[in-house]
Amino acid sequence: MSDDPSRPERKNVLLRMLINEMLDQVRELQRHASGPWDPAERERAEATLERVMMQVRSEAVRRGGP
């Protein structure tokens, strides 16, 4: 990947950060999917993922897409 600031993935740093956070949350959920997980902890992780996904959607729409 180039450091060219004109590339789309470099133009919207906030959107890129939110997408990375969303992927981290998905990975966290996946790590716990096969084993026991405290229900309250799982609920917090799912709520965090939902919040981040809403932020990604909002930022993508606000900026006219990724």
Side-chain angles (χ1 to χ4, degrees):
M1 184 181 291
S2 151
D3 287 329
D4 181 1
S6 66
R7 291 185 61 174
E9 64 270 18
R10 301 287 186 204
K11 286 183 180 178
N12 193 338
V13 176
L14 176 57
L15 183 58
R16 173 55 43 202
M17 289 171 54
L18 288 168
I19 289 170
N20 288 340
E21 185 179 354
M22 180 178 66
L23 291 172
D24 287 345
Q25 279 303 122
V26 168
R27 289 180 189 113
E28 180 69 16
L29 286 168
Q30 187 61 38
R31 271 194 293 276
H32 291 286
S34 62
W37 198 7
D38 177 60
E41 188 179 329
R42 181 180 180 94
E43 189 174 318
R44 279 191 300 276
E46 288 176 351
T48 299
L49 178 58
E50 187 172 335
R51 176 191 52 81
V52 172
M53 289 172 67
M54 286 175 33
Q55 288 177 298
V56 167
R57 233 181 348 261
S58 176
E59 183 63 16
V61 169
R62 188 176 76 78
R63 297 272 180 134

